[in-house]
Amino acid sequence: MTEPTPVPDHAGGGADTVAARPDSAPVTARDQGGSTNGHAPECVRRRGLSLAAEAAAASDGDQRSADDVEAGIVALWQAFGERRDQELRDRLVLHYAPLVKYVAGRVGTGLPSHVEVSDLIQSGIFGLVDAIEKFEPERGLKFETYAMQRIRGAILDDLRAQDWVPRSVRSRARDVERALERLEAKLQRTATDAELAAELELSVDELRELLAQLQMTSVVALDDLIGAGPMQASLAETLPDDRAEDPVAALVDRDSRRQLAEAVERLSERDRVVVTLYYFENLTLAEIGKVLGVTESRVCQLHTRAVLRLRTKLTEAG
């Protein structure tokens, strides 16, 4: 015999299990969600517990009917209600686990791409365990419907706990989005700040302050891909690096240095010596005068003449 394999049904409200029993006739329970409305016959209860206990050791080739699996789950619920045994609870968790994956997939549809479905499933498992422990079969309710609400609630509670933005701010953001949708549908164009403020019954200054608050709540993942085809890149690759060297500025600087070097080479020998000693050797005008054997005022005249000639040559080259 094999362990029943549950899958979400077509309506999304429960789980179907398909198996077959080769050695006995089908036994039907009245409520496939675990409701018995009383005690099942002792033979059904013993048979259901036997199916649940022997499933782990059974071969994959054996099959049981859907009614047998249903009867086993009903008996498993009865046994869990009587003994509250952890092993029985774990068997129920395994049986209804596909509900968690189904609900997590539905909830994750409207969430950002950086939210992992596996994290939602992990949160939903806690909701399923809580649903199993608090479910009362004698009320005659269907367990799948009750469990899906508990699973969804556990996932949403975990998402809210991870959100650093206050719920009031999220609510205001939704109000702004709805107002924009109404105005764009009505005006058939992008609404202005004044029109949006009037729709929200705010002043323009209050609206801009609100938008500034909402802008600070927008968070994106740096590894999100943008673009398409060969131009596809991550968002981090598009962020500017203020410390990086600008290739255009580096090219202009290199070209300017080349032109300056050529202009210096065209100066007379004495002017070139003055420029070299003053700008490259960092000598003062008085020290340059001692090197050349002239007065400091003469060196100042030579420096002025050399600078004017360089400026003229660079202007002509530019």
Side-chain angles (χ1 to χ4, degrees), residues 237 239-250:
E237 295 174 344
L239 298 179
D241 186 1
D242 297 333
R243 295 176 296 179
E245 183 180 10
D246 186 359
V248 176

Side-chain angles (χ1 to χ4, degrees), residues 29-221:
R30 285 170 293 177
D31 188 349
Q32 61 180 332
S35 173
T36 60
N37 297 324
H39 295 286
E42 185 64 21
C43 60
V44 174
R45 181 174 178 274
R46 286 199 302 267
R47 182 56 185 167
L49 289 175
S50 176
L51 291 173
E54 296 173 3
S59 64
D60 293 337
D62 294 338
Q63 293 183 340
R64 292 171 293 168
S65 68
D67 289 339
D68 290 332
V69 175
E70 185 178 317
I73 294 301
V74 170
L76 193 60
W77 272 112
Q78 284 186 342
F80 179 72
E82 295 172 359
R83 296 186 310 203
R84 292 288 170 178
D85 185 70
Q86 183 176 355
E87 181 180 356
L88 298 177
R89 187 199 67 183
D90 293 343
R91 288 185 177 276
L92 290 172
V93 170
L94 290 176
H95 179 77
Y96 294 107
L99 286 177
V100 179
K101 185 176 181 180
Y102 174 77
V103 176
R106 294 288 298 273
V107 174
T109 302
L111 298 178
S113 59
H114 65 270
V115 178
E116 298 290 341
V117 178
S118 58
D119 295 337
L120 303 182
I121 293 176
Q122 183 178 0
S123 303
I125 288 294
F126 290 101
L128 175 60
V129 173
D130 186 61
I132 291 175
E133 292 181 345
K134 295 181 179 180
F135 182 62
E136 299 177 358
E138 61 274 8
R139 289 179 175 268
L141 302 176
K142 190 173 183 180
F143 174 76
E144 287 86 344
T145 304
Y146 171 76
M148 290 177 68
Q149 297 298 324
R150 303 289 298 190
I151 293 169
R152 177 181 171 84
I155 294 175
L156 295 180
D157 288 344
D158 189 59
L159 289 174
R160 293 190 185 103
Q162 298 177 17
D163 190 6
W164 55 275
V165 180
R167 295 186 63 181
S168 59
V169 177
R170 294 292 188 194
S171 177
R172 296 303 300 274
R174 289 192 294 269
D175 293 341
V176 172
E177 291 176 359
R178 296 191 187 101
L180 280 173
E181 291 176 357
R182 291 194 302 268
L183 286 175
E184 291 178 355
K186 178 181 179 181
L187 303 174
Q188 297 298 313
R189 59 175 174 83
T190 303
T192 63
D193 289 348
E195 293 170 340
L196 180 59
E199 181 70 17
L200 294 172
E201 299 182 354
L202 300 173
S203 65
V204 176
D205 292 337
E206 291 174 340
L207 173 63
R208 291 174 179 172
E209 182 180 355
L210 174 60
L211 294 178
Q213 295 176 357
L214 298 180
Q215 185 178 11
M216 298 176 62
T217 64
S218 301
V219 180
V220 295

Side-chain angles (χ1 to χ4, degrees), residues 280-299:
F280 294 95
E281 301 298 335
N282 295 322
L283 297 182
T284 63
L285 296 179
E287 293 171 340
I288 295 174
K290 292 180 181 179
V291 172
L292 298 178
V294 296
T295 62
E296 182 178 353
S297 60
R298 178 57 182 166
V299 174

